[in-house]
Amino acid sequence: MFSGARVLCPYTGRDVVGDVLVDEGRVAMVRPGGGIEAPDAEKIECSGLVLSPGFVDLHTHLREPGEEHKETIHSGVNAALAGGFTTLCAMPNTRPALDSRIAVETLLERSEGLGVRVVPIGAITVARAGERLAPHHALATAGVVALSDDGSPVSDAALMRRALSYSEPTGLPITSHCEELALSAGGAMHEGAVSARLGLPGAPASAEEVMVRRDIALAEETGGRLHVAHISTKGAVEAVRDARARGVPVTAEATPHHLLLTDEWVAGWGALDGEDRRHNVLGERAYDTSTKVNPPLRSREHVRAVVEAVRDGTIDCVATDHAPHSATDKECEYGCAAFGISGLETALGLLMQLVHRGELGLPDLVRLLTVGASRTFNLPGRGITEGAPSELALFDPEREWVVDASKLLSKGKNTPLDGHTLKGRVLMTVAGTRTYRVSGMEVR
Ligand SMILES: [Zn+2]
C-alpha cells in the first residue's frame, strides 16, 4: 500500500494526497486523504513522493531480434521499469525488421509476461528499405499501433504519400523520422558554431524542417495521420504549430535530450544548470561519442523553441528514443560512432530539470509522459482508479542522484549524463504483478 503519496493521475484529473492499495496486479482502493486499513499489505511511506500512472514511451529501440548484444527485450524492459515506464512502443528497426505479421507476432510472444506492455510499431516499407510498402493491413491486424521506418526517412515522397493515404483505413499513425538525407549526409552533429569550432561535419537544421514540411503537405492532401518523431528544430515546431492551427491532424514528440541538452555537450561544455560555458576551452569530455545522436543535439535557439512548443501544446508527448549501443559502437572516433542515446533510465531525472527551473509544471510533465503519449497512438488509458491494472510509477521529485552508466539496467551504457547529478528519481515501478525498486537496483 502506498501511504500518503501525492497521487497525480492525468487520466482521471486527480491530484490529491492519499493512499493507494494495490492487490494482485490491480488497483484495489484509492482514498484521498488516506486512511486505508490493510494490515496484511506492505506499507510504503510516500510522504513527499509522487505516485503517477506508469509512463508510456512511444519510441524505444529494443534491438531484438538481430542485435541482442546491444539490448534484448528483457534488458530493455528492465531499463523501462527502472525509468518508471510500463508501456513501450518498440521501433521496427530490428533485424529482420518488423515488416511482417510473423515478425510482429514473435515480438508479442517474446515480450509476454514481462509486466511491461511491449507494443510493436510496424515498418512503413519492406525491410525499411524505402522501396515498396509493407503490408499495412496485415500489420494492423497483427497488433501494431503505428508505422515507422525510424532510423531512416522515407525519402520517396510518392511512397510516403501512399503510406499516409492508407493511414485512414488502417487508423495507424505514420511516425516519420524527418531527415532530408541530401542535406544531412555526412553530418556527425548539429551544424553551427560548435561544429565549426570542433571541426566536425554538421547536419543543418533545415534537413529536418524540409521533411517535416513535406510530410505535413502530404498529410494535409491525403487526410493521413502524421506523427513527427523526435522533433528538434525551431522551423519544424513552427511547421507543426501552423499545421495544427489549420486543423491538420499532426502530432509530435520530443525527447528528453532534445529538451535539455545542447550541441555544447559535444564540446564538453555540457551542464544542466543552463550556464553559458562557451567561452571556455574545450571540456574534458569534448568529442564524447555518447553525445552523438540523430537528430543531433541542437543549439540553444532550437532547444528553447522545442521547450516552448512543449509548453504551448504543439508537442503532444515526450518519447525517449532509447537507442542502446554496445561499447564497440561508441569507443571510436566521433565521426565513426553510432548515433543514439540510452535514455529510458534517465528520462524522468533529466526532464525534472524543466520543472526545477520553473519552465514546466509537474502535472504537465506527468501528462506528457502518460496520457499525452497514450492518446497520440490511441493506446488504452491506465489511470489510477479502482479496478484498473496496476501500472504505476513512484518517484521523488527532489531526490538527487549521480548517473553511473555502468549501473544502468539497459545493455546500452551510452549516456552523456554519466557522472552528472540529476534531481528527481524513480523509486519504484509497478507493472502488473511485477515490481521494481531502486534500493539495491533489484528487479523481482
Ligand atoms: Zn529516428
Side-chain angles (χ1 to χ4, degrees):
M1 183 187 61
F2 298 95
S3 171
R6 177 177 174 188
V7 181
L8 216 171
C9 176
Y11 294 97
T12 57
R14 193 176 253 151
D15 186 358
V16 291
V17 173
D19 293 354
V20 174
L21 178 67
V22 169
D23 189 32
E24 292 181 355
R26 302 233 157 232
V27 176
M29 207 185 285
V30 183
R31 186 157 302 170
I36 294 179
E37 296 292 337
D40 295 339
E42 182 197 6
K43 186 172 169 182
I44 299 154
E45 185 46 60
C46 299
S47 159
L49 308 183
V50 176
L51 185 68
S52 91
F55 306 149
V56 176
D57 190 17
L58 298 188
H59 194 143
T60 308
H61 296 280
L62 286 177
R63 309 298 190 204
E64 179 180 345
E67 292 183 299
E68 286 85 349
H69 61 292
K70 297 186 184 203
E71 194 82 292
T72 60
I73 296 168
H74 198 262
S75 63
V77 158
N78 285 347
L81 287 170
F85 291 89
T86 55
T87 299
L88 294 184
C89 296
M91 276 296 181
N93 62 333
T94 47
R95 293 179 193 168
L98 299 183
D99 62 358
S100 66
R101 170 182 281 276
I102 185 74
V104 171
E105 286 171 351
T106 305
L107 173 66
L108 287 170
E109 270 163 34
R110 286 189 187 177
S111 55
E112 243 170 61
L114 298 178
V116 169
R117 209 174 289 277
V118 176
V119 186
I121 296 173
I124 296 173
T125 67
V126 173
R128 298 172 48 258
E131 286 165 5
R132 57 197 173 91
L133 291 186
H136 291 188
H137 183 73
L139 290 169
T141 52
V144 308
V145 293
L147 296 165
S148 183
D149 273 2
D150 188 60
S152 313
V154 177
S155 292
D156 181 335
L159 200 58
M160 188 59 157
R161 184 172 187 270
R162 207 173 318 139
L164 281 162
S165 63
Y166 289 163
S167 73
E168 222 194 334
T170 62
L172 298 177
I174 302 290
T175 295
S176 182
H177 167 115
C178 292
E179 178 183 5
E180 175 49 63
L181 295 175
L183 291 168
S184 65
M189 66 175 292
H190 173 68
E191 182 183 279
V194 181
S195 67
R197 171 83 182 268
L198 293 175
L200 288 172
S206 59
E208 177 171 323
E209 183 184 342
V210 163
M211 196 166 277
V212 170
R213 290 191 182 274
R214 180 201 80 172
D215 286 350
I216 286 171
L218 298 173
E220 195 162 8
E221 192 171 64
T222 57
R225 177 65 183 83
L226 174 68
H227 177 66
V228 180
H230 44 50
I231 199 164
S232 73
T233 74
K234 188 166 179 254
V237 296
E238 281 168 2
V240 170
R241 189 180 287 123
D242 293 349
R244 287 167 73 120
R246 291 196 302 278
V248 183
V250 51
T251 52
E253 68 189 34
T255 71
H257 48 270
H258 288 120
L259 287 164
L260 275 306
L261 310 184
T262 63
D263 58 352
E264 294 157 38
W265 283 68
V266 187
W269 298 324
L272 292 166
D273 55 14
E275 211 175 280
D276 198 335
R277 290 174 172 77
R278 281 175 288 185
H279 56 281
N280 288 351
V281 291
L282 292 187
E284 251 174 56
R285 287 172 66 172
Y287 301 97
D288 176 2
T289 57
S290 66
T291 61
K292 188 175 176 188
V293 65
N294 189 19
L297 300 177
R298 302 289 185 184
S299 62
R300 284 171 181 246
E301 179 195 16
H302 293 288
V303 172
R304 261 196 304 273
V306 178
V307 170
E308 189 46 43
V310 160
R311 286 158 55 100
D312 73 10
T314 300
I315 292 171
D316 303 86
C317 58
V318 167
T320 67
D321 193 4
H322 174 73
H325 286 293
S326 64
T328 45
D329 299 312
K330 287 288 196 180
E331 283 174 7
C332 54
E333 298 91 331
Y334 202 89
C336 301
F339 291 97
I341 290 175
S342 182
L344 283 168
E345 291 162 82
T346 53
L348 178 86
L350 186 52
L351 292 162
M352 277 301 300
Q353 311 311 310
L354 291 174
V355 176
H356 294 309
R357 285 186 205 158
E359 294 183 48
L360 197 66
L362 185 59
D364 287 325
L365 175 57
V366 173
R367 176 179 51 76
L368 290 160
L369 284 163
T370 57
V371 69
S374 52
R375 251 184 220 152
T376 298
F377 280 2
N378 306 310
L379 305 174
R382 307 283 171 189
I384 307 179
T385 50
E386 289 169 13
S390 51
E391 296 180 4
L392 305 166
L394 180 71
F395 64 92
D396 184 346
E398 303 296 327
R399 175 85 59 104
E400 293 197 354
W401 58 294
V402 179
V403 178
D404 180 347
S406 70
K407 295 216 167 83
L408 295 179
L409 298 188
S410 167
K411 286 193 182 183
K413 314 300 180 192
N414 46 307
T415 172
L417 296 169
D418 189 27
H420 285 268
T421 301
L422 297 180
K423 190 177 178 189
R425 182 158 208 193
V426 174
L427 302 179
M428 189 168 170
T429 307
V430 181
T433 53
R434 198 145 181 244
T435 303
Y436 159 87
R437 293 163 198 251
V438 74
S439 48
M441 305 296 276
E442 87 276 24
V443 178
R444 63 182 170 88

